[in-house]
Amino acid sequence: MAALTQLDAAYRRAQADPRFTDELGELLRDRVGRPTLLHRVPRLAESLAVPGVRVYLKREDMAHTGAHKINSALGQVLLARRMGKSRIVAETGAGQHGVAVATVCAMLDLSCTVYMGAHDMRRQSSNVVRMQLLGAQVRAVHTGRRRLKDAVSESVRDWVTNVDTTHYVFGTAAGPAPYPRIVRDFQTVIGNESRAQVLKSEGRLPDYVIACVGGGSNAIGMFHPFLDDPQVRLIGVEAAGRGTETGWHAATLNSGTPGEIDGAFSYMLQDEDGQIARTHSIAAGLDYPGVGPELSHLKETGRVIYRTATDDAALRGMRALTRGEGIIAALESTHTVGYLLELAERGELPPDSVVLLCLSGRGDKDLDIAAQRLGS
Ligand SMILES: *Cc1c(COP(=O)(O)O)cnc(C)c1O
């Protein structure tokens, strides 16, 4: 609690200090490549076969390191430096957050240790090499199921043991307060830019804003600036894996129940004894049994609705974007495309709709899966 209280106070001071927000803005522009493109995709829109529909992609895959994760990694590492910390610890699942944190640490000259489940290290070996090239120490976690959940526990243990020198950079808008708020604030750049970009192109707000939901950081970052615009429908798409009825999925807000996970009270996938359930998704970044508390709150108020897309729908979305638009997107992100294709097929997408999709990352990491599942 002492570490969290200290972080909360430091963050509030930083947020009110223009030197901090100006430096963050400059680095986002000069080192991350923001603002990212808003890209209209007419061929994808045409394939929906609904008259007058216009679809836009927010291209977070064009940010440095290829996903939205660097927005929050950069903000949190700058905050750590301001707090006088010289060492960063982070957890990673598929390795995307670890790579973003290692990149920022290399940029700003801080020492970096990334905890990763031994099981994940085997299946995501190229990201392990990336982190090591960037100068991070990658520590294998052999406890529990040797996955993301266990890497979180090890990172927290390291942080509280070395809190004088060390800061913990969390990968999604979940975990104990103040992390869900900090990560949300740093990711809100996605929604702020998108809102202005759609207004400029269309002269009005979008009818639909759609984002995939793992822990929830790209979704809450995209949705937050639209929360007070009731005409904008906000849809979070969760991973239905092999189908929510099969038990092989990660649809936390659709199929989960409230409970405590990683220091927050939120929806989670658990058994009758409150043990965390097994999850599955073709997209490693969505394969998490929890979700951020703010997205849970927005489920209960009804402001955001949550739907699902299966592994097959995500693959179909990947094919539609590659063949149709020349974009190889991450399988996490293509859950939104798969969902949109199905929405149009069911006849539920009204003519002349303006649709904004968050393309959270690029698909280089998914090439092996694509080769297996999509063939040549
Ligand atoms: C990590 C990741 C996600 C899921 O994380 P959120 O916190 O839910 O955004 C989605 N897309 C990509 C490309 C990712 O790397």
Side-chain angles (χ1 to χ4, degrees):
M1 278 310 297
L4 291 168
T5 308
Q6 184 198 34
L7 172 60
D8 190 59
Y11 177 59
R12 285 176 197 279
R13 279 194 301 273
Q15 240 186 335
D17 181 352
R19 276 174 314 181
F20 178 78
T21 48
D22 289 352
E23 185 179 12
L24 177 59
E26 269 165 38
L27 288 169
L28 284 172
R29 186 189 63 210
D30 299 340
R31 301 297 193 93
V32 176
R34 305 206 69 92
T36 55
L37 292 176
L38 183 78
H39 182 160
R40 184 162 164 208
V41 280
R43 296 192 60 204
L44 179 68
E46 209 172 290
S47 75
L48 299 172
V50 180
V53 167
R54 290 178 305 287
V55 180
Y56 291 87
L57 305 179
K58 180 59 171 167
R59 298 287 308 273
E60 290 302 295
D61 61 315
M62 307 269 286
H64 183 41
T65 69
H68 65 292
K69 291 214 167 68
I70 195 160
N71 302 327
S72 151
L74 178 60
Q76 290 185 70
V77 173
L78 275 183
L79 181 60
R81 199 180 62 178
R82 199 183 140 96
M83 291 168 76
K85 309 285 175 90
S86 58
R87 177 172 175 267
I88 298 297
V89 292
E91 86 294 343
T92 200
Q96 298 298 101
H97 175 60
V99 168
V101 174
T103 300
V104 175
C105 286
M107 222 186 249
L108 299 178
D109 193 24
L110 276 84
S111 136
C112 179
T113 301
V114 179
Y115 288 91
M116 190 169 186
H119 177 80
D120 290 332
M121 281 178 76
R122 265 206 318 279
R123 46 173 193 173
Q124 304 288 338
S125 55
S126 66
N127 275 338
V128 175
V129 177
R130 280 193 185 100
M131 289 184 270
Q132 288 168 337
L133 274 175
L134 290 160
Q137 190 184 71
V138 183
R139 289 199 189 151
V141 177
H142 294 282
T143 51
R145 296 188 69 217
R146 298 174 294 133
R147 288 159 207 254
L148 176 61
K149 180 82 188 57
D150 315 295
V152 172
S153 304
E154 281 307 314
S155 308
V156 171
R157 218 163 273 148
D158 182 321
W159 182 37
V160 298
T161 308
N162 302 299
V163 70
D164 289 344
T165 58
T166 301
H167 184 62
Y168 178 30
V169 174
F170 198 62
T172 189
Y179 280 102
R181 182 163 44 86
I182 292 177
V183 175
R184 184 221 40 216
D185 288 350
F186 290 139
Q187 292 295 1
T188 295
V189 69
I190 304 173
N192 283 336
E193 286 177 10
S194 299
R195 199 174 189 285
Q197 287 168 319
V198 173
L199 277 174
K200 191 163 173 231
S201 305
E202 289 288 325
R204 68 175 177 93
L205 291 174
D207 300 297
Y208 292 83
V209 178
I210 306 175
C212 67
V213 178
S217 70
N218 87 93
I220 192 67
M222 179 55 118
F223 295 160
H224 198 260
F226 295 100
L227 288 177
D228 294 331
D229 302 306
Q231 72 273 36
V232 180
R233 263 172 279 196
L234 304 175
I235 302 176
V237 180
E238 293 191 307
R242 296 174 195 158
T244 44
E245 69 292 346
T246 65
W248 291 93
H249 65 84
T252 309
L253 287 157
N254 279 276
S255 303
T257 46
E260 282 160 42
I261 181 166
D262 290 335
F265 184 68
S266 191
Y267 276 80
M268 60 185 284
L269 293 168
Q270 58 187 327
D271 67 16
E272 285 118 57
D273 299 325
Q275 298 295 331
I276 290 157
R278 169 198 70 197
T279 53
H280 161 81
S281 169
I282 195 169
L286 303 184
D287 198 351
Y288 177 61
V291 68
E294 190 167 359
L295 288 183
S296 288
H297 169 70
L298 292 166
K299 171 188 165 84
E300 307 221 314
T301 64
R303 180 64 190 94
V304 179
I305 62 170
Y306 297 96
R307 299 287 183 258
T308 61
T310 60
D311 290 350
D312 287 339
L315 285 164
R316 194 179 161 212
M318 176 181 249
R319 189 191 297 269
L321 274 190
T322 49
R323 301 278 171 92
E325 298 288 353
I327 298 167
I328 301 178
L331 282 167
E332 288 84 358
S333 322
T334 63
H335 278 72
T336 63
V337 180
Y339 168 75
L340 181 64
L341 292 169
E342 293 178 356
L343 185 75
E345 272 161 12
R346 287 196 304 271
E348 291 172 17
L349 183 66
D352 302 315
S353 297
V354 173
V355 180
L356 169 61
L357 300 182
C358 187
L359 204 77
S360 53
R362 70 180 179 220
D364 308 47
K365 68 185 181 57
D366 296 323
L367 295 183
D368 287 346
I369 299 169
Q372 278 165 29
R373 296 290 298 269
L374 294 177
S376 56

